[in-house]
Amino acid sequence: MAPQLELPLFPLGVVLFKNGLLPLHIFEPRYVNMIENVIEMETGFGVVLLRDGSDVYQEGESSPPPIYCAGTIASIRQYKRLPDGRFYVLVEGGAKFHVESSWELDNHLRMALVRIEKDEAKFEMRESDADLVDVARKAVDAAGVKSDQVLLDYSDATSVSMRLSEYLPLDLHFRQQLFELNNAHRRLDLIRKWLNKFSKETL
């Protein structure tokens, strides 16, 4: 049986993949408190994609915005606390999880009982996908990301497919679809289809 864990959730307009790095500016009191607890307890929190709506609480909301049920455990890699209490943090994506149930605390922080998923199997890059390694390099360069902030193994199809999913200008819901796959070769196949379509549309 897959292990279960209780986690605070941070719904965002991003999809965080395993070994992906995500900078965050934390200013809402509920999330400031969450980060304080995560630092003190040396735990993590869940990053999930919003289906629509905003991650900022709006006074008078009758219900929290809908989220996707598949997300990533984020651990804090670096953090800086500002004099006014805000945080700048850099988090790294870890295990994938599925939300079993969720609820809100009095401060509107969303909590969840999650089922931890197994890491997907490792696949080597196929010869037919060699060109996607070059696409991955260009996508990372175009995003202006420093080389020491990208955990990328160009011989590993899982790593390449995840970084392509992060750095190509994909629709968020398609990115979530790629995230939910557990097969790197299938993910690369869908990315190639997207690239072919994107190329035709931009000619």
Side-chain angles (χ1 to χ4, degrees):
M1 185 176 179
Q4 292 187 324
L5 182 68
E6 188 176 298
L7 276 179
L9 296 183
F10 198 165
L12 292 165
V14 298
V15 180
L16 178 62
F17 287 77
K18 184 176 177 64
N19 297 134
L21 299 177
L22 176 65
L24 293 171
H25 173 208
I26 309 296
F27 58 90
E28 278 198 81
R30 56 178 169 169
Y31 295 125
V32 168
N33 182 250
M34 179 190 76
I35 293 298
E36 289 172 337
N37 290 335
V38 166
I39 292 170
E40 180 180 355
M41 303 300 293
E42 297 184 344
T43 56
F45 60 93
V47 172
V48 289
L49 176 65
L50 288 159
R51 287 186 178 272
D52 57 55
S54 170
D55 61 298
V56 179
Y57 175 70
Q58 304 295 327
E59 192 67 38
E61 277 184 343
S62 57
S63 60
I67 59 173
Y68 281 92
C69 288
T72 310
I73 296 179
S75 58
I76 295 177
R77 188 163 167 177
Q78 299 172 10
Y79 72 90
K80 178 181 180 180
R81 185 153 202 180
L82 303 181
D84 60 7
R86 291 177 296 137
F87 280 97
Y88 284 115
V89 299
L90 179 67
V91 302
E92 180 177 340
K96 187 185 298 184
F97 64 77
H98 185 274
V99 175
E100 299 286 291
S101 61
S102 66
W103 61 95
E104 277 197 345
L105 301 180
D106 290 342
N107 66 352
H108 303 289
L109 179 68
R110 197 179 306 195
M111 300 292 297
L113 181 66
V114 305
R115 181 181 74 247
I116 308 301
E117 305 287 352
K118 285 184 184 178
D119 281 346
E120 62 184 76
K122 293 280 187 178
F123 289 91
E124 292 185 358
M125 289 293 290
R126 299 172 294 194
E127 288 187 15
S128 59
D129 289 329
D131 59 322
L132 293 180
V133 170
D134 187 49
V135 174
R137 293 181 194 276
K138 290 178 179 177
V140 170
D141 287 344
V145 182
K146 296 178 181 178
S147 59
D148 62 349
Q149 290 189 326
V150 181
L151 300 176
L152 178 50
D153 178 353
Y154 290 108
S155 66
D156 178 4
T158 301
S159 180
V160 172
S161 69
M162 288 184 176
R163 302 293 81 83
L164 281 168
S165 299
E166 286 177 330
Y167 291 112
L168 288 174
L170 307 176
D171 172 82
L172 275 175
H173 303 290
F174 178 52
R175 185 172 285 147
Q176 179 72 20
Q177 179 187 346
L178 296 173
F179 169 77
E180 293 184 15
L181 292 174
N182 286 313
N183 184 301
H185 288 164
R186 176 62 179 149
R187 189 179 293 119
L188 289 173
D189 290 341
L190 289 179
I191 289 171
R192 184 177 296 283
K193 285 183 180 179
W194 180 88
L195 285 167
N196 290 337
K197 182 180 178 183
F198 181 77
S199 296
K200 290 177 182 177
E201 291 176 348
T202 54
L203 286 177

